[in-house]
Amino acid sequence: MTKPSIPVGIICSQHGPYQAMGREILKSAMMAVDEINEQDGFDFSISAHVRDPRGVIAEYHTVCDDLIRNVGVEHIIGCYTSASRKQVLPIVERTDRLLWYPARYEGFECSDNVIYVGASPNHNVLPLVRYVLDNLSREIFCVGSNYVWTWETNRVTRELVTAAGGRILAERLLELGESAVTHIVDEIVRRRPPVVFNTLVGSSSYDFIRAFHAATTAANLSIPMLSCSLCEPELKIAGPASAGCITSSAYFESIRLPENKAFVARWKARYGEHSSPSVDGQSAYVAVYLLARALQRAGTSDIGEVRRAAAGHRYNSPQGPVWIDDSNNHCVLTPRLAVSNAEAQFDIFWEAEAPVKPDPYLTQLDVAASPARDAASPNAPHLRVVK
Amino acid sequence: MSKPSSFSLRGRKALVAIKDERDASIVKRQFERLGIEIVTWEPGAKIDCRPDVTLIDDEFLPLTSPAQRASLGRSPVIALLGTETPSRLKLVLDLDPASFLVKPLRSAGIYAALVMAFERNERTNELKQQVVKLEQRLRSRRIVLAAVLQVMHTHALAEPAAFALIRRAAMEQRKTIEDISAEITAKGSLPRAIG
């Protein structure tokens, strides 16, 4: 007997400035869809309706509208930048649909029509900046793409750094897709900051990493770079210059969990031995599974029922245990810190002792608290060294 | 110690008067996420707490009790608007709201309305303090004028020179011009250090 099919929209840009990430999200989402469709444990199949807004912000609204009006989807997986999510948000709220958003983002949003599967700011920015303050420097040079992710990440960084008696040496912003990075690299070489925090996205980031590496090598400088977004496929695009970047993320290909080893093996069997899953891609994979498991439990695709069925149920995903916190629709995740190596992989050196509750409004953040005092908070990440 | 940031709302107490249950549940849910304590309030009942902020539904306006209006005046008020008619807005403006939200409520916007209200309140209080200070100085101008006239007469000086003398005396004694002027008019002469 043929299983009933549930239409699900997938929105990711396979063209434009962050096409690489869009393609990774699509690959992971489709892998999850195919896996679910092949499993007897699910008494339905998912029919994926993929749309490519090509990195054009207004297009996100158009394709979302099309998926809801013409295809009749109730659930949509996708969007990457916050600007794209904000385009889709009014439609899913007005029509009472559910967007499963895979990317890490800057927080300060909590829609009942969105499940935020990626990291909240307390999962990535906080552990990274705390680590830098404790181990590297109290002075940070920031360079990022000129949009909300960078603005908010820089604001949180500034609050933490200032409270610790340090300072932000500079905040240099580039438009999305901008490749003219030389003036910023020249300034870094001239001013020699102790660390550089890179919140550039897509091609701007790869151009910057390469130029930064070339210039600092020529000047015989060793300046650590920080990131909350770099992932393995991007390390490959940026090339050998990307080694040595200290990165905060809930997912790395090198996580030593059996679920991840199996996931990576399936991934490589499907996409080739030399390909790598990414954090946002893996998150899209998790999103599809969270949705499918909720659909199965709910026995309907009605979004209210699905949301209730999804909340609080633990899923042992490739990145470790993940569940949706029903107080804010964000996911409980395990923060990790790693440094990129010459093989375009990450060596994990810290991870939280247990999954950390999402804090999208940074309600639990006490910028004046010392890292030691802050660690006593039940919601603060307890970091431990990973051997 | 630095003042608490308007962006951090954890631990604040909100007095909430909302008519519609759905709106009330959205506010309750969002306030829990933000770490804000809620005290629900039915207009007509006595306000027996000192809230940090008050959310009031325009359905409950106008407030008839002067005591309630006085209580609300101590913390920033966020008005929940169901209609934008001038007659309703006039009632809302009587509360001097620091911010507003449009009904039906959604989670988006509540955080911003709160931050705006706290920041607006903070800035308004600073301005009020500045106004009080300026009013005091304005009132004491009469004393300064009297002191200048006295010094002009006693030392046979023109007005600019007399004022410069008083200002120098104030600086040397680390007092305000108003305080030193009060001493001059009380003693009938410049303080001895200058004399």
Side-chain angles (χ1 to χ4, degrees):
Chain A
M1 195 181 126
T2 313
K3 293 178 184 179
S5 174
I6 297 175
V8 170
I10 297 181
I11 302 179
C12 43
S13 286
Q14 295 144 65
H15 299 85
Y18 45 87
Q19 57 176 300
M21 289 303 93
R23 289 174 181 174
E24 291 304 324
I25 288 171
L26 180 62
K27 280 157 73 179
S28 296
M30 292 311 297
M31 182 168 142
V33 168
D34 290 345
E35 286 180 9
I36 286 157
N37 289 347
E38 287 166 11
Q39 287 177 38
D40 294 333
F42 293 99
D43 54 17
F44 57 85
S45 66
I46 290 174
S47 62
H49 296 263
V50 180
R51 295 291 183 274
D52 175 11
R54 310 173 67 84
V56 179
I57 289 302
E59 277 293 303
Y60 280 86
H61 185 282
T62 308
V63 298
C64 181
D65 193 54
D66 168 53
L67 283 168
I68 292 170
R69 271 178 206 269
N70 302 325
V71 182
V73 303
E74 288 178 282
H75 299 274
I76 295 167
I77 290 166
C79 295
Y80 181 61
T81 60
S82 285
S84 65
R85 188 186 67 261
K86 298 277 187 196
Q87 282 287 314
V88 166
L89 202 57
I91 315 177
V92 294
E93 287 191 340
R94 195 175 63 242
T95 56
D96 203 19
R97 291 337 199 244
L98 207 48
L99 170 69
W100 299 72
Y101 179 61
R104 68 238 132 41
Y105 85 118
E106 64 286 340
F108 292 88
E109 186 183 291
C110 214
S111 170
D112 284 339
N113 293 87
V114 181
I115 302 291
Y116 304 83
V117 183
S120 298
N122 68 310
H123 290 135
N124 52 22
V125 184
L126 255 55
L128 181 66
V129 177
R130 292 274 196 236
Y131 171 78
V132 171
L133 291 173
D134 283 353
N135 297 281
L136 294 177
S137 169
R138 300 199 163 193
E139 294 188 333
I140 300 178
F141 187 108
C142 298
V143 52
S145 293
N146 190 12
Y147 79 123
V148 64
W149 157 254
T150 295
W151 304 334
E152 185 55 24
T153 303
N154 284 358
R155 182 195 69 83
V156 175
T157 304
R158 182 183 292 278
E159 285 211 13
L160 292 167
V161 168
T162 308
R167 66 190 175 118
I168 300 296
L169 297 172
E171 250 182 280
R172 300 290 173 256
L173 303 178
L174 291 176
E175 296 310 311
L176 281 170
E178 176 63 66
S179 60
V181 296
T182 311
H183 62 292
I184 299 176
V185 171
D186 288 348
E187 184 184 356
I188 290 169
V189 169
R190 195 175 66 249
R191 295 180 63 182
R192 307 185 172 204
V195 286
V196 169
F197 192 175
N198 171 11
T199 51
L200 292 162
V201 297
S203 53
S204 301
S205 182
Y206 319 142
D207 290 334
F208 174 75
I209 288 169
R210 285 189 282 259
F212 172 82
H213 181 262
T216 52
T217 304
N220 203 22
L221 292 174
S222 175
I223 302 173
M225 187 187 290
L226 316 171
S227 173
C228 281
S229 60
L230 262 189
C231 59
E232 292 82 351
E234 292 185 300
L235 297 180
K236 287 176 186 168
I237 295 170
S242 62
C245 184
I246 298 165
T247 304
S248 178
S249 178
Y251 179 78
F252 295 107
E253 188 182 344
S254 51
I255 290 173
R256 292 183 184 175
L257 292 170
E259 291 84 357
N260 186 47
K261 287 182 178 172
F263 168 73
V264 172
R266 289 197 303 277
W267 172 279
K268 287 183 183 293
R270 184 179 173 114
Y271 294 116
E273 190 56 34
H274 298 294
S275 69
S276 284
S278 66
V279 53
D280 296 319
Q282 187 267 174
S283 190
Y285 178 92
V286 172
V288 175
Y289 264 92
L290 289 174
L291 167 61
R293 289 156 63 95
L295 286 166
Q296 181 71 22
R297 270 194 302 277
T300 168
S301 61
D302 172 80
I303 80 128
E305 296 291 326
V306 170
R307 198 169 39 217
R308 270 187 289 280
H313 280 271
R314 180 180 163 127
Y315 163 46
N316 288 323
S317 76
Q319 65 177 283
V322 171
W323 64 93
I324 298 163
D325 184 331
D326 67 348
S327 70
N328 57 33
N329 292 348
H330 289 64
C331 278
V332 178
L333 308 173
T334 304
R336 296 179 173 89
L337 297 175
V339 61
S340 54
N341 61 34
E343 285 77 48
Q345 287 291 317
F346 287 97
D347 299 320
I348 302 169
F349 61 89
W350 271 15
E351 75 178 20
E353 282 180 352
V356 172
K357 189 176 158 62
D359 186 12
Y361 290 93
L362 291 174
T363 302
Q364 300 301 320
L365 171 63
D366 183 355
V367 290
S370 71
R373 236 178 75 206
D374 198 46
S377 159
N379 292 309
H382 298 264
L383 297 171
R384 66 183 171 88
V385 175
V386 177
K387 303 226 166 109
Chain B
M1 201 178 123
S2 59
K3 72 182 177 74
S5 163
S6 295
F7 300 113
S8 176
L9 308 180
R10 179 164 49 115
R12 310 232 195 190
K13 186 187 282 187
L15 189 68
V16 173
I18 302 178
K19 201 159 194 177
D20 181 80
E21 272 184 31
R22 192 183 161 277
D23 285 335
S25 73
I26 285 169
V27 165
K28 184 169 177 288
R29 196 163 147 80
Q30 190 69 354
F31 276 24
E32 280 169 4
R33 291 167 180 158
L34 297 170
I36 298 173
E37 184 193 338
I38 289 186
V39 179
T40 49
W41 170 61
E42 286 281 342
K46 189 167 171 276
I47 300 171
D48 52 5
C49 70
R50 290 293 295 265
D52 298 307
V53 63
T54 299
L55 267 71
I56 185 158
D57 200 316
D58 63 358
E59 294 284 332
F60 291 131
L61 301 180
L63 292 179
T64 46
S65 157
Q68 284 179 349
R69 295 166 74 104
S71 292
L72 292 192
R74 283 196 285 267
S75 64
V77 169
I78 298 175
L80 309 186
L81 302 178
T83 169
E84 295 176 282
T85 56
S87 53
R88 183 58 61 91
L89 290 177
K90 191 171 176 302
L91 297 177
V92 170
L93 286 171
D94 285 346
L95 290 176
D96 192 18
S99 189
F100 70 90
L101 286 160
V102 177
K103 297 183 291 183
L105 300 182
R106 48 200 283 267
S107 60
I110 294 178
Y111 175 75
L114 286 162
V115 171
M116 299 255 182
F118 283 122
E119 193 62 25
R120 174 54 47 215
N121 197 49
E122 186 73 30
R123 292 182 190 198
T124 303
N125 285 342
E126 281 172 11
L127 277 175
K128 281 178 183 169
Q129 284 170 11
Q130 212 173 337
V131 168
V132 168
K133 206 184 289 179
L134 289 172
E135 281 177 348
Q136 279 171 352
R137 293 190 68 180
L138 200 59
R139 276 196 296 274
S140 58
R141 286 290 94 178
R142 192 180 60 79
I143 297 167
V144 175
L145 184 61
V148 169
L149 287 172
Q150 192 166 322
V151 171
M152 285 170 70
H153 179 73
T154 313
H155 297 272
L157 292 171
E159 185 270 336
F163 184 77
L165 201 58
I166 293 171
R167 190 171 58 189
R168 206 177 82 208
M171 285 169 65
E172 284 175 356
Q173 296 187 37
R174 296 174 191 274
K175 291 176 179 171
T176 64
I177 287 179
E178 289 77 10
D179 287 347
I180 208 95
S181 295
E183 286 180 27
I184 292 167
T185 51
K187 290 178 183 168
S189 64
L190 273 172
R192 202 185 310 162
I194 298 300

